[in-house]
Amino acid sequence: MKNICTIIAIILIQFVWAQDTNPEKKEMEISFNNLEVPNTPAFILLDEAPTSIQRPNSTRAFALDLIQDVTEDGVLGNLAVEVTPFWMIQHTHMTPEKYYGIKTQEDGSVSQNFFSKLRLASVSAAYMKSADSITNISIGVRTTLFEIKRQDDIKDYKEALLQAQKYLNNSANYMEQYNTQCKIPKPENYRSETAFQEAMLTYKGICDKPEPPRPTVGATDEEIKKYRAAIKEYRLACYCPPDPRDYDTTAQFEAAKEWYEAGLNTFREKKREEDDFTAKDLDVAFKEITSRKPLFAIDLAAAYNQRFFGNTFNDNTAGRFGIWSTLTLSSFLDKKKTNRDYFNVYGFVRYLDDTRRGIFPAANNDRFNAFDLGVKGELEFDKLSVAYEYINRSGDMEGYRSVGTIRYQLINDIFLTGSFGNNFEETDDLVTLFGIKWGINGALQSISIPQSN
Amino acid sequence: MDTYKVDDSAKHVKIDVKVGTTGSAETRVYLDTITADNRICESDDASNGNIPATKAGINRKLFLRTLIVNTSLNFSNIPDSAVKDAIKMTHIIYTLDGGPQGEKPFNNLDAIVNDSDISSVEITKRIEFV
């Protein structure tokens, strides 16, 4: 246990460091730091998770799950970790559209890739010790097989993406943008305000005309001299920044440069404020859209458990194996969708292959199979969700699970869960679980937005 | 202002930029004006301002035009008090090739430095094709 904690601590430290990314780089990426932190399949297999029926819309790069049955001794002694390998790898060819599971066709229509979430499969491992000195080690895997998004959500995502690309193209170079619009005379070059105003009228005319024609190679000195005089006048009127060739003295050039830099700095400050606002605004928009639950989804999960008796490594036997699927239908509580509150209905089906607890070594006739069928209703508000689930077990094992669950997001990364009810067994079947989940964002938990041409 | 000779041929003149700085750098190359329409090339994100040999135009069409190389430097990784020294220590080598003078390197000693906003320092070098 001590070694497990040490390994987890090392991983966590790496993740915390990894989150300190370059803020300038972030402006060009969609960062997914608000992903969900669900119960791990490794816990669900053992019927020890606060809820067995759950379908996360997303998972973070790394999550830590601590659970305690409040009727037993100990403090959060059951532990699970969940890792999403997708967020551990730099995806250089992953586009925001591909990640979201949509594709823009040549005719401009958008099609869905119903299987896009397969790549976000997660793996988990759990440690749990029971009162009868049995240590359970479980491993699990989960993915979304299929999902259907709402057309409104796809449209909003596409619009946010177009806005982001427009912003990136515009904010590429402030100096270039400023020069494009600063074609005005420089007042310090004139003796008086009146002279400057008169020049403004004249120069406007110059800038509206094409540049003086350039002589070709081999032109006479006279032609070149004439061209230089004409282009000097044009540059003074129409070019930014000032060109040292156009000023008779260094003092004149320095004055023009000062005038130019003051204008550029004012422009740059204004653009930075606008861009900062735009970047934050876009970040919020993407987070909101990608966190919306799909209309319909089917998840698949599987887990395996090995039991160890009396703290002895060699005294172990195959425990439980389970494979299950969760079907989810989500609808907004508010028809206008101003609040992201949902009513979720789940269907759950699971096959279990298990051995009787406490039998070592387990023979073939100690094993038995069971089939679970369940439903769940959930009301999900901003940070709070309340749910009730019922699962009927049939086959070699019989029983039911009837559990109410409450979940609260304390801060962005920490979630508290509690559940109470009946948990399958005929005796010792009271569920009184309290858990803390900590989701940790990885440094690679983002997708780059390409600049459009 | 530095100059580079061109002839009446259709041979390409190439520009190569190498930036040595303690900050992060981005370089953009223009003809005549620093505007989007006149941008020839720019450095890649990972190159820290360096641009490999890139075509600027053919000899005869560059006559009396001005190559402008603008390098933006970001020194957010060092204290503000050290930025002035960091700007002084920044060396940029601009190399032109393809004209009758062959390969000719230029430095940034006569380049115009806009450091009125130390969070965004600009070094602008002009070379006229004659």
Side-chain angles (χ1 to χ4, degrees):
Chain A
M1 182 64 185
K2 197 177 170 184
N3 289 339
I4 294 171
C5 289
T6 309
I7 292 165
I8 290 169
I10 291 167
I11 294 169
L12 290 182
I13 288 167
Q14 290 189 337
F15 268 84
V16 170
W17 279 345
Q19 288 182 88
D20 184 22
T21 52
N22 182 351
E24 285 186 14
K25 201 181 166 195
K26 276 196 164 180
E27 289 184 4
M28 300 175 69
E29 295 174 334
I30 306 171
S31 59
F32 298 100
N33 57 7
N34 64 333
L35 302 182
E36 294 179 32
V37 186
N39 293 316
T40 59
F43 265 157
I44 292 172
L45 173 75
L46 301 172
D47 297 325
E48 294 297 339
T51 176
S52 291
I53 305 176
Q54 195 179 31
R55 192 262 146 194
N57 197 29
S58 55
T59 50
R60 298 198 190 196
F62 189 88
L64 185 63
D65 198 351
L66 301 168
I67 291 177
Q68 178 65 41
D69 188 330
V70 294
T71 61
E72 292 180 5
D73 295 335
V75 180
L76 299 170
N78 301 326
L79 179 150
V81 291
E82 185 167 28
V83 173
T84 306
F86 179 85
W87 295 125
M88 303 284 173
I89 305 158
Q90 184 94 47
H91 298 281
T92 47
H93 300 293
M94 180 58 66
T95 63
E97 282 201 346
K98 204 170 166 187
Y99 168 77
Y100 191 59
I102 54 173
K103 191 177 178 187
T104 306
Q105 306 294 341
E106 283 180 7
D107 63 359
S109 61
V110 180
S111 63
Q112 287 192 54
N113 174 6
F114 300 113
F115 309 100
S116 65
K117 285 274 180 75
L118 270 171
R119 61 172 74 94
L120 288 166
S122 66
V123 290
S124 56
Y127 163 92
M128 204 186 79
K129 196 162 187 176
S130 57
D132 50 5
S133 297
I134 296 174
T135 301
N136 286 289
I137 301 291
S138 307
I139 52 169
V141 61
R142 166 170 50 205
T143 189
T144 297
L145 277 186
F146 179 88
E147 77 168 25
I148 301 174
K149 296 179 182 67
R150 291 176 191 81
Q151 286 303 318
D152 285 356
D153 297 345
I154 293 172
K155 193 180 156 204
D156 290 349
Y157 187 83
K158 278 288 293 178
E159 275 176 14
L161 198 57
L162 284 172
Q163 265 194 344
Q165 283 173 329
K166 195 176 162 192
Y167 153 73
L168 282 173
N169 291 339
N170 286 342
S171 65
N173 185 349
Y174 295 143
M175 192 184 196
E176 201 178 88
Q177 289 176 57
Y178 178 65
N179 292 342
T180 307
Q181 57 175 261
C182 80
K183 287 181 176 180
I184 49 172
K186 294 120 184 102
E188 70 280 358
N189 294 339
Y190 300 90
R191 288 187 303 276
S192 67
E193 179 65 24
T194 315
F196 168 64
Q197 293 298 342
E198 281 173 7
M200 284 276 281
L201 298 171
T202 321
Y203 278 125
K204 263 186 187 169
I206 289 178
C207 291
D208 288 342
K209 289 175 188 168
E211 284 188 29
R214 198 179 306 104
T216 52
V217 178
T220 61
D221 288 349
E222 189 60 32
E223 285 171 330
I224 293 173
K225 197 179 166 187
K226 200 175 165 189
Y227 167 74
R228 286 195 190 285
I231 193 71
K232 179 181 173 180
E233 190 182 17
Y234 190 86
R235 271 200 304 258
L236 270 170
C238 312
Y239 279 14
C240 281
D243 191 318
R245 285 172 290 181
D246 303 329
Y247 298 87
D248 297 331
T249 65
T250 309
Q252 273 183 356
F253 171 67
E254 289 299 329
K257 192 167 147 256
E258 197 179 317
W259 181 90
Y260 169 79
E261 286 174 5
L264 174 62
N265 288 341
T266 307
F267 177 82
R268 193 183 274 143
E269 271 173 35
K270 187 172 159 249
K271 290 296 285 180
R272 271 184 192 146
E273 272 176 30
E274 284 172 14
D275 286 351
D276 188 41
F277 175 76
T278 312
K280 281 178 189 164
D281 214 30
L282 285 169
D283 193 46
V284 169
F286 274 116
K287 280 192 176 75
E288 191 275 313
I289 297 165
T290 52
S291 68
R292 288 181 202 171
K293 289 186 181 298
L295 181 67
F296 178 72
I298 302 174
D299 271 23
L300 187 69
Y304 172 80
N305 148 247
Q306 190 80 5
R307 290 186 185 128
F308 295 81
F309 297 88
N311 283 332
T312 307
F313 181 78
N314 289 330
D315 294 349
N316 69 84
T317 186
R320 181 178 282 195
F321 167 77
I323 181 163
W324 63 95
S325 180
T326 311
L327 287 75
T328 314
L329 197 62
S330 295
S331 60
F332 285 104
L333 287 175
D334 176 7
K335 292 286 179 199
K336 289 179 184 169
K337 303 181 191 176
T338 43
N339 299 312
R340 299 295 165 194
D341 299 335
Y342 299 92
F343 175 59
N344 305 317
V345 180
Y346 300 83
F348 176 78
V349 57
R350 176 165 67 174
Y351 168 77
L352 283 177
D353 177 64
D354 204 349
T355 184
R356 269 191 278 269
R357 289 171 69 87
I359 307 256
F360 175 77
N364 279 342
N365 57 4
D366 292 321
R367 298 201 71 80
F368 54 89
N369 304 318
F371 186 70
D372 292 347
L373 204 58
V375 287
K376 178 179 173 179
E378 182 180 46
L379 284 170
E380 192 174 343
F381 305 103
D382 183 26
K383 290 176 185 290
L384 178 76
S385 75
V386 184
Y388 170 76
E389 70 184 25
Y390 180 86
I391 304 171
N392 184 63
R393 179 164 290 171
S394 56
D396 298 334
M397 287 186 286
E398 288 193 347
Y400 70 94
R401 178 180 165 102
S402 171
V403 170
T405 310
I406 190 161
R407 187 169 185 271
Y408 184 72
Q409 184 175 9
L410 197 61
I411 53 173
N412 188 43
D413 299 330
I414 306 280
F415 297 79
L416 301 179
T417 56
S419 57
F420 180 80
N422 175 74
N423 195 22
F424 295 117
E425 313 278 339
E426 287 177 3
T427 57
D428 196 17
D429 62 348
L430 183 66
V431 178
T432 46
L433 293 172
F434 169 73
I436 295 178
K437 293 172 198 306
W438 182 18
I440 298 165
N441 295 313
L444 304 176
Q445 215 168 287
S446 59
I447 302 288
S448 294
I449 301 174
Q451 287 191 40
S452 60
N453 293 322
Chain B
M1 183 188 300
D2 285 320
T3 57
Y4 185 74
K5 279 189 179 157
V6 287
D7 55 25
D8 200 20
S9 73
K11 201 177 161 191
H12 279 282
V13 173
K14 288 185 177 177
I15 168 85
D16 170 292
V17 183
K18 286 191 173 60
V19 181
T21 182
T22 51
S24 61
E26 282 176 34
T27 301
R28 298 175 187 88
V29 181
Y30 303 87
L31 270 178
D32 298 330
T33 59
I34 303 178
T35 51
D37 293 346
N38 288 6
R39 194 200 301 159
I40 298 171
C41 60
E42 61 188 321
S43 56
D44 289 338
D45 289 346
S47 67
N48 206 36
N50 294 330
I51 296 178
T54 306
K55 290 170 185 172
I58 62 172
N59 270 258
R60 63 167 171 262
K61 288 197 174 175
L62 291 174
F63 184 57
L64 295 180
R65 297 193 76 174
T66 306
L67 189 77
I68 306 176
V69 186
N70 172 250
T71 302
S72 307
L73 300 166
N74 185 314
F75 293 107
S76 56
N77 56 330
I78 61 172
D80 287 358
S81 56
V83 170
K84 291 274 178 195
D85 286 337
I87 296 168
K88 278 182 197 164
M89 288 173 69
T90 297
H91 290 284
I92 309 177
I93 304 292
Y94 313 88
T95 308
L96 287 175
D97 194 11
Q101 290 176 287
E103 191 176 290
K104 187 178 177 186
F106 301 88
N107 58 39
N108 61 313
L109 293 179
D110 69 334
I112 295 165
V113 180
N114 176 5
D115 57 359
S116 56
D117 175 2
I118 58 168
S119 63
S120 183
V121 177
E122 310 268 355
I123 295 182
T124 308
K125 170 78 177 179
R126 284 179 169 76
I127 302 166
E128 189 179 25
F129 294 107
V130 292

